[in-house]
Amino acid sequence: MHVKTLAAALSAAAIMAPASLLAQPTNNFTLVQGKTASMGKLVAAANGQTVYALLTDSQKADEKAAPLAACDKACQSQFTPVKAVGAKPQGWLLAQGLVGAVKRADGTLQATFNGLPLYTFAGDQAAGDVNGQGFNKVAYVVSTVGKLNTAAPKQAQAAVPAAKTVAPVDAALFELGKEKYAATCSGCHGPNGEGAFGAALKGNKMIANDDAFIKQILVGSGDMPSFAPMLADADVAAIATFARNAWGNKLGGITVDQVKKLR
């Protein structure tokens, strides 16, 4: 495929997997859109870990006096600045105009969203955790429109959700996809999905969303061109099917009809 990554283009997709699945985004991204059962859609770091804005960062002295009193240095040490990838960091499924960076006193670049400096919390152990929400009444998650969400996390439901059914894999499409991937994608993502110029697709659950994955191959965004004029519906379905089910991935097949509906 194009020397720029397929994964880099997925940032424009309208729907994506929850934060708990955002485990292996490309290194091109600083922030991603996450979604949790307890807080809904929110901004997350590239590894899916929830990020927070701190009231202690307010530019107005009268607004940050109380937060500073409530959160001393020991409290603030629980939060690690999110490092920005470059001066113009990229966002996955986020409004790119809200993604930014600010230079810290030590010269490093910290990611911002809608101007809010962002941090991860030491108490969050896995993608989708929101244990830092409301910590000492100074740390809050950030919505995908760039606003602080000060609500308390919703209690988890006791019922266990049904497992998602994985679509069957068409053997012929898989074999075609193997051929097409080798010819057009392996230069970026590696012959075995291990990543090269682009992200590793092996074990990458960010391609689990059917429509998002198909749409980015067809439309492209950012550094990735549209492949709709170059690839037939069967080719797109084949590449998507192969990438989602090769190298130990078990994300289900993509049909030609699915591609036709999105073209």
Side-chain angles (χ1 to χ4, degrees), residues 15-68:
I15 304 173
M16 198 56 213
S20 59
L21 295 182
L22 299 179
Q24 296 183 12
T26 172
N27 289 335
N28 288 349
F29 292 101
T30 293
L31 302 173
V32 299
Q33 179 192 116
K35 183 177 180 181
T36 67
S38 60
M39 295 298 300
K41 291 181 180 180
L42 44 71
V43 181
N47 64 354
Q49 190 171 5
T50 301
V51 299
Y52 304 85
L54 304 182
L55 298 185
T56 53
D57 282 332
S58 174
Q59 297 301 306
K60 298 180 180 179
D62 58 336
E63 289 183 356
K64 69 178 182 179
L68 283 171

Short mmCIF file of all heavy atoms in Angstrom, two decimals, residues 15-68:
data_model
loop_
_atom_site.label_atom_id
_atom_site.label_comp_id
_atom_site.label_asym_id
_atom_site.label_seq_id
_atom_site.Cartn_x
_atom_site.Cartn_y
_atom_site.Cartn_z
N ILE A 15 -16.71 5.73 13.61
CA ILE A 15 -17.04 4.81 14.69
C ILE A 15 -15.83 3.97 14.97
O ILE A 15 -15.10 3.62 14.08
CB ILE A 15 -18.21 3.87 14.29
CG1 ILE A 15 -19.43 4.69 13.87
CG2 ILE A 15 -18.57 2.92 15.42
CD1 ILE A 15 -20.55 3.87 13.31
N MET A 16 -15.64 3.62 16.25
CA MET A 16 -14.46 2.80 16.52
C MET A 16 -14.70 1.96 17.74
O MET A 16 -15.68 2.11 18.44
CB MET A 16 -13.22 3.70 16.71
CG MET A 16 -11.91 2.98 16.56
SD MET A 16 -11.75 2.13 15.00
CE MET A 16 -10.79 0.73 15.51
N ALA A 17 -13.76 1.04 18.02
CA ALA A 17 -13.86 0.13 19.14
C ALA A 17 -13.69 0.87 20.46
O ALA A 17 -13.18 1.97 20.49
CB ALA A 17 -12.79 -0.95 19.01
N PRO A 18 -14.14 0.26 21.58
CA PRO A 18 -13.98 0.90 22.89
C PRO A 18 -12.53 1.04 23.28
O PRO A 18 -11.65 0.38 22.74
CB PRO A 18 -14.73 -0.05 23.83
CG PRO A 18 -14.76 -1.35 23.11
CD PRO A 18 -14.86 -1.00 21.66
N ALA A 19 -12.30 1.90 24.30
CA ALA A 19 -10.94 2.15 24.74
C ALA A 19 -10.23 0.88 25.16
O ALA A 19 -9.03 0.74 25.00
CB ALA A 19 -10.95 3.15 25.91
N SER A 20 -10.97 -0.07 25.70
CA SER A 20 -10.34 -1.31 26.15
C SER A 20 -9.77 -2.10 25.00
O SER A 20 -8.97 -3.01 25.20
CB SER A 20 -11.37 -2.18 26.89
OG SER A 20 -12.46 -2.48 26.04
N LEU A 21 -10.16 -1.78 23.75
CA LEU A 21 -9.62 -2.49 22.59
C LEU A 21 -8.53 -1.69 21.90
O LEU A 21 -7.89 -2.17 20.99
CB LEU A 21 -10.75 -2.78 21.58
CG LEU A 21 -11.83 -3.73 22.05
CD1 LEU A 21 -12.83 -3.97 20.92
CD2 LEU A 21 -11.25 -5.07 22.50
N LEU A 22 -8.33 -0.45 22.31
CA LEU A 22 -7.35 0.38 21.65
C LEU A 22 -5.97 0.12 22.20
O LEU A 22 -5.34 0.96 22.82
CB LEU A 22 -7.72 1.86 21.82
CG LEU A 22 -9.06 2.25 21.22
CD1 LEU A 22 -9.31 3.72 21.46
CD2 LEU A 22 -9.12 1.95 19.74
N ALA A 23 -5.47 -1.07 21.95
CA ALA A 23 -4.23 -1.48 22.60
C ALA A 23 -2.99 -1.23 21.77
O ALA A 23 -1.91 -1.04 22.31
CB ALA A 23 -4.30 -2.97 22.95
N GLN A 24 -3.11 -1.20 20.44
CA GLN A 24 -1.92 -1.10 19.63
C GLN A 24 -2.08 -0.14 18.45
O GLN A 24 -2.02 -0.54 17.30
CB GLN A 24 -1.53 -2.49 19.09
CG GLN A 24 -1.15 -3.46 20.17
CD GLN A 24 -0.72 -4.79 19.57
OE1 GLN A 24 -0.49 -4.91 18.39
NE2 GLN A 24 -0.59 -5.78 20.41
N PRO A 25 -2.34 1.15 18.70
CA PRO A 25 -2.39 2.08 17.59
C PRO A 25 -0.99 2.36 17.06
O PRO A 25 0.00 2.09 17.72
CB PRO A 25 -3.00 3.34 18.21
CG PRO A 25 -2.57 3.26 19.62
CD PRO A 25 -2.51 1.80 19.97
N THR A 26 -0.93 2.92 15.86
CA THR A 26 0.37 3.25 15.29
C THR A 26 1.07 4.33 16.08
O THR A 26 0.45 5.16 16.71
CB THR A 26 0.19 3.73 13.84
OG1 THR A 26 1.44 4.22 13.38
CG2 THR A 26 -0.84 4.83 13.73
N ASN A 27 2.39 4.34 16.00
CA ASN A 27 3.17 5.36 16.70
C ASN A 27 2.93 6.75 16.14
O ASN A 27 3.39 7.74 16.71
CB ASN A 27 4.66 5.00 16.62
CG ASN A 27 5.00 3.80 17.47
OD1 ASN A 27 4.30 3.50 18.43
ND2 ASN A 27 6.04 3.09 17.11
N ASN A 28 2.25 6.86 15.00
CA ASN A 28 1.96 8.17 14.41
C ASN A 28 0.95 8.94 15.24
O ASN A 28 0.80 10.14 15.09
CB ASN A 28 1.42 8.02 12.99
CG ASN A 28 2.49 7.58 12.02
OD1 ASN A 28 3.66 7.58 12.35
ND2 ASN A 28 2.08 7.18 10.84
N PHE A 29 0.21 8.24 16.09
CA PHE A 29 -0.86 8.88 16.85
C PHE A 29 -0.43 9.20 18.27
O PHE A 29 0.29 8.44 18.90
CB PHE A 29 -2.10 7.99 16.88
CG PHE A 29 -2.76 7.86 15.55
CD1 PHE A 29 -2.58 6.73 14.79
CD2 PHE A 29 -3.54 8.89 15.05
CE1 PHE A 29 -3.17 6.61 13.55
CE2 PHE A 29 -4.13 8.79 13.81
CZ PHE A 29 -3.94 7.65 13.05
N THR A 30 -0.89 10.35 18.74
CA THR A 30 -0.68 10.73 20.14
C THR A 30 -1.94 10.46 20.95
O THR A 30 -1.86 9.98 22.07
CB THR A 30 -0.32 12.22 20.23
OG1 THR A 30 0.97 12.44 19.62
CG2 THR A 30 -0.24 12.68 21.68
N LEU A 31 -3.10 10.75 20.37
CA LEU A 31 -4.37 10.59 21.05
C LEU A 31 -5.33 9.78 20.20
O LEU A 31 -5.23 9.78 18.97
CB LEU A 31 -4.99 11.96 21.35
CG LEU A 31 -4.15 12.93 22.19
CD1 LEU A 31 -4.84 14.29 22.25
CD2 LEU A 31 -3.91 12.38 23.59
N VAL A 32 -6.26 9.09 20.86
CA VAL A 32 -7.28 8.32 20.16
C VAL A 32 -8.61 8.55 20.84
O VAL A 32 -8.68 9.03 21.98
CB VAL A 32 -6.96 6.81 20.16
CG1 VAL A 32 -5.65 6.53 19.46
CG2 VAL A 32 -6.93 6.26 21.58
N GLN A 33 -9.68 8.19 20.15
CA GLN A 33 -10.99 8.23 20.77
C GLN A 33 -11.23 6.92 21.50
O GLN A 33 -11.07 5.84 20.93
CB GLN A 33 -12.10 8.42 19.73
CG GLN A 33 -13.49 8.44 20.33
CD GLN A 33 -14.59 8.35 19.29
OE1 GLN A 33 -15.36 7.39 19.27
NE2 GLN A 33 -14.67 9.35 18.41
N GLY A 34 -11.56 7.01 22.78
CA GLY A 34 -11.90 5.82 23.54
C GLY A 34 -13.37 5.85 23.92
O GLY A 34 -14.04 6.87 23.81
N LYS A 35 -13.88 4.72 24.34
CA LYS A 35 -15.26 4.66 24.80
C LYS A 35 -15.34 3.64 25.92
O LYS A 35 -14.89 2.51 25.77
CB LYS A 35 -16.20 4.26 23.66
CG LYS A 35 -17.67 4.25 24.08
CD LYS A 35 -18.57 3.91 22.91
CE LYS A 35 -20.04 3.90 23.33
NZ LYS A 35 -20.93 3.54 22.20
N THR A 36 -15.87 4.06 27.05
CA THR A 36 -16.00 3.17 28.19
C THR A 36 -17.45 3.08 28.61
O THR A 36 -18.24 3.99 28.36
CB THR A 36 -15.17 3.68 29.39
OG1 THR A 36 -15.74 4.91 29.85
CG2 THR A 36 -13.72 3.92 28.99
N ALA A 37 -17.80 2.00 29.25
CA ALA A 37 -19.17 1.83 29.72
C ALA A 37 -19.50 2.82 30.82
O ALA A 37 -20.65 3.25 30.96
CB ALA A 37 -19.36 0.40 30.24
N SER A 38 -18.49 3.23 31.59
CA SER A 38 -18.75 4.09 32.74
C SER A 38 -18.72 5.58 32.44
O SER A 38 -19.33 6.37 33.15
CB SER A 38 -17.74 3.79 33.85
OG SER A 38 -16.42 4.02 33.39
N MET A 39 -18.01 5.97 31.35
CA MET A 39 -17.88 7.40 31.06
C MET A 39 -18.23 7.76 29.62
O MET A 39 -18.18 8.92 29.25
CB MET A 39 -16.44 7.87 31.34
CG MET A 39 -16.00 7.78 32.79
SD MET A 39 -16.97 8.82 33.92
CE MET A 39 -16.69 10.45 33.27
N GLY A 40 -18.60 6.80 28.82
CA GLY A 40 -18.92 7.07 27.42
C GLY A 40 -17.68 7.38 26.61
O GLY A 40 -16.57 6.96 26.93
N LYS A 41 -17.83 8.17 25.54
CA LYS A 41 -16.71 8.52 24.68
C LYS A 41 -15.81 9.52 25.39
O LYS A 41 -16.29 10.44 26.05
CB LYS A 41 -17.20 9.11 23.36
CG LYS A 41 -17.90 8.11 22.46
CD LYS A 41 -18.33 8.77 21.15
CE LYS A 41 -19.04 7.78 20.24
NZ LYS A 41 -19.47 8.40 18.96
N LEU A 42 -14.51 9.33 25.22
CA LEU A 42 -13.56 10.23 25.84
C LEU A 42 -12.24 10.20 25.07
O LEU A 42 -12.06 9.42 24.14
CB LEU A 42 -13.33 9.85 27.31
CG LEU A 42 -13.14 8.35 27.67
CD1 LEU A 42 -11.82 7.81 27.20
CD2 LEU A 42 -13.29 8.16 29.17
N VAL A 43 -11.34 11.07 25.45
CA VAL A 43 -10.02 11.13 24.82
C VAL A 43 -9.09 10.18 25.57
O VAL A 43 -9.11 10.12 26.80
CB VAL A 43 -9.45 12.56 24.84
CG1 VAL A 43 -8.09 12.61 24.16
CG2 VAL A 43 -10.43 13.52 24.15
N ALA A 44 -8.29 9.44 24.81
CA ALA A 44 -7.36 8.49 25.41
C ALA A 44 -5.99 8.65 24.77
O ALA A 44 -5.85 9.22 23.68
CB ALA A 44 -7.87 7.06 25.24
N ALA A 45 -4.98 8.12 25.45
CA ALA A 45 -3.63 8.10 24.88
C ALA A 45 -3.56 7.04 23.80
O ALA A 45 -4.48 6.24 23.63
CB ALA A 45 -2.61 7.82 25.99
N ALA A 46 -2.45 7.00 23.06
CA ALA A 46 -2.33 6.09 21.93
C ALA A 46 -2.46 4.63 22.33
O ALA A 46 -2.87 3.80 21.52
CB ALA A 46 -0.99 6.32 21.22
N ASN A 47 -2.13 4.28 23.57
CA ASN A 47 -2.25 2.90 24.02
C ASN A 47 -3.62 2.61 24.62
O ASN A 47 -3.84 1.53 25.17
CB ASN A 47 -1.16 2.57 25.05
CG ASN A 47 -1.28 3.39 26.32
OD1 ASN A 47 -2.11 4.28 26.42
ND2 ASN A 47 -0.44 3.09 27.30
N GLY A 48 -4.54 3.55 24.50
CA GLY A 48 -5.90 3.35 25.01
C GLY A 48 -6.09 3.80 26.43
O GLY A 48 -7.22 3.79 26.93
N GLN A 49 -5.03 4.20 27.11
CA GLN A 49 -5.15 4.62 28.51
C GLN A 49 -5.86 5.97 28.58
O GLN A 49 -5.55 6.89 27.84
CB GLN A 49 -3.78 4.70 29.17
CG GLN A 49 -3.84 4.89 30.67
CD GLN A 49 -2.48 4.75 31.33
OE1 GLN A 49 -1.47 4.60 30.65
NE2 GLN A 49 -2.44 4.82 32.66
N THR A 50 -6.81 6.08 29.48
CA THR A 50 -7.58 7.30 29.66
C THR A 50 -6.66 8.47 30.01
O THR A 50 -5.70 8.31 30.77
CB THR A 50 -8.61 7.12 30.78
OG1 THR A 50 -9.48 6.03 30.44
CG2 THR A 50 -9.45 8.38 30.97
N VAL A 51 -6.96 9.64 29.45
CA VAL A 51 -6.19 10.83 29.80
C VAL A 51 -7.09 11.81 30.56
O VAL A 51 -8.31 11.77 30.43
CB VAL A 51 -5.59 11.52 28.56
CG1 VAL A 51 -4.64 10.58 27.84
CG2 VAL A 51 -6.67 12.01 27.61
N TYR A 52 -6.45 12.66 31.33
CA TYR A 52 -7.17 13.61 32.18
C TYR A 52 -6.61 15.01 32.01
O TYR A 52 -5.42 15.19 31.68
CB TYR A 52 -7.02 13.21 33.66
CG TYR A 52 -7.48 11.82 33.97
CD1 TYR A 52 -6.61 10.74 33.80
CD2 TYR A 52 -8.77 11.57 34.42
CE1 TYR A 52 -7.03 9.43 34.07
CE2 TYR A 52 -9.19 10.27 34.70
CZ TYR A 52 -8.31 9.21 34.52
OH TYR A 52 -8.73 7.93 34.79
N ALA A 53 -7.46 16.00 32.25
CA ALA A 53 -7.02 17.39 32.36
C ALA A 53 -7.06 17.74 33.85
O ALA A 53 -7.92 17.23 34.59
CB ALA A 53 -7.93 18.32 31.58
N LEU A 54 -6.13 18.56 34.30
CA LEU A 54 -6.05 18.94 35.70
C LEU A 54 -6.47 20.39 35.89
O LEU A 54 -6.02 21.28 35.15
CB LEU A 54 -4.62 18.75 36.23
CG LEU A 54 -4.00 17.37 36.08
CD1 LEU A 54 -2.60 17.35 36.70
CD2 LEU A 54 -4.88 16.31 36.73
N LEU A 55 -7.31 20.64 36.88
CA LEU A 55 -7.73 22.01 37.16
C LEU A 55 -6.56 22.86 37.64
O LEU A 55 -6.63 24.09 37.59
CB LEU A 55 -8.84 21.99 38.22
CG LEU A 55 -10.14 21.28 37.84
CD1 LEU A 55 -11.18 21.45 38.95
CD2 LEU A 55 -10.69 21.78 36.52
N THR A 56 -5.50 22.21 38.08
CA THR A 56 -4.32 22.96 38.53
C THR A 56 -3.61 23.65 37.37
O THR A 56 -2.74 24.49 37.59
CB THR A 56 -3.31 22.01 39.21
OG1 THR A 56 -3.04 20.90 38.35
CG2 THR A 56 -3.87 21.50 40.53
N ASP A 57 -3.99 23.30 36.12
CA ASP A 57 -3.39 23.92 34.94
C ASP A 57 -4.14 25.16 34.47
O ASP A 57 -3.79 25.74 33.44
CB ASP A 57 -3.31 22.92 33.78
CG ASP A 57 -2.18 21.93 33.94
OD1 ASP A 57 -1.17 22.27 34.57
OD2 ASP A 57 -2.30 20.81 33.42
N SER A 58 -5.19 25.54 35.19
CA SER A 58 -5.96 26.71 34.78
C SER A 58 -5.04 27.93 34.63
O SER A 58 -4.11 28.12 35.42
CB SER A 58 -7.05 27.02 35.80
OG SER A 58 -7.71 28.23 35.49
N GLN A 59 -5.31 28.73 33.62
CA GLN A 59 -4.53 29.95 33.39
C GLN A 59 -4.96 31.09 34.30
O GLN A 59 -4.31 32.13 34.35
CB GLN A 59 -4.68 30.38 31.92
CG GLN A 59 -4.13 29.37 30.92
CD GLN A 59 -2.66 29.09 31.15
OE1 GLN A 59 -1.85 30.02 31.20
NE2 GLN A 59 -2.31 27.82 31.29
N LYS A 60 -6.06 30.89 35.01
CA LYS A 60 -6.57 31.94 35.89
C LYS A 60 -6.21 31.61 37.33
O LYS A 60 -6.58 30.56 37.86
CB LYS A 60 -8.10 32.06 35.74
CG LYS A 60 -8.53 32.45 34.33
CD LYS A 60 -10.03 32.56 34.22
CE LYS A 60 -10.46 32.96 32.81
NZ LYS A 60 -11.94 33.05 32.69
N ALA A 61 -5.49 32.52 37.97
CA ALA A 61 -5.01 32.28 39.34
C ALA A 61 -6.14 31.96 40.30
O ALA A 61 -6.01 31.08 41.16
CB ALA A 61 -4.22 33.49 39.82
N ASP A 62 -7.27 32.67 40.18
CA ASP A 62 -8.36 32.45 41.13
C ASP A 62 -9.03 31.09 40.93
O ASP A 62 -9.60 30.53 41.86
CB ASP A 62 -9.41 33.57 41.01
CG ASP A 62 -9.98 33.68 39.61
OD1 ASP A 62 -9.31 33.26 38.65
OD2 ASP A 62 -11.12 34.18 39.48
N GLU A 63 -8.92 30.54 39.70
CA GLU A 63 -9.55 29.25 39.42
C GLU A 63 -8.68 28.08 39.86
O GLU A 63 -9.20 27.00 40.13
CB GLU A 63 -9.86 29.12 37.92
CG GLU A 63 -10.99 30.02 37.46
CD GLU A 63 -11.32 29.79 35.99
OE1 GLU A 63 -10.61 28.99 35.34
OE2 GLU A 63 -12.27 30.41 35.51
N LYS A 64 -7.38 28.27 39.91
CA LYS A 64 -6.51 27.15 40.25
C LYS A 64 -6.01 27.19 41.69
O LYS A 64 -5.32 26.26 42.13
CB LYS A 64 -5.32 27.07 39.30
CG LYS A 64 -4.29 28.17 39.40
CD LYS A 64 -3.16 27.91 38.40
CE LYS A 64 -2.05 28.94 38.48
NZ LYS A 64 -0.97 28.65 37.51
N ALA A 65 -6.37 28.20 42.43
CA ALA A 65 -5.93 28.29 43.82
C ALA A 65 -6.44 27.11 44.65
O ALA A 65 -5.66 26.44 45.35
CB ALA A 65 -6.40 29.61 44.43
N ALA A 66 -7.73 26.84 44.54
CA ALA A 66 -8.31 25.73 45.31
C ALA A 66 -7.77 24.38 44.84
O ALA A 66 -7.41 23.54 45.67
CB ALA A 66 -9.83 25.78 45.22
N PRO A 67 -7.70 24.12 43.52
CA PRO A 67 -7.13 22.85 43.07
C PRO A 67 -5.69 22.64 43.52
O PRO A 67 -5.31 21.54 43.91
CB PRO A 67 -7.22 22.96 41.54
CG PRO A 67 -8.37 23.86 41.31
CD PRO A 67 -8.31 24.87 42.41
N LEU A 68 -4.89 23.69 43.51
CA LEU A 68 -3.51 23.57 43.97
C LEU A 68 -3.44 23.23 45.45
O LEU A 68 -2.58 22.47 45.90
CB LEU A 68 -2.74 24.86 43.68
CG LEU A 68 -2.30 25.08 42.23
CD1 LEU A 68 -1.74 26.48 42.04
CD2 LEU A 68 -1.27 24.03 41.81
#
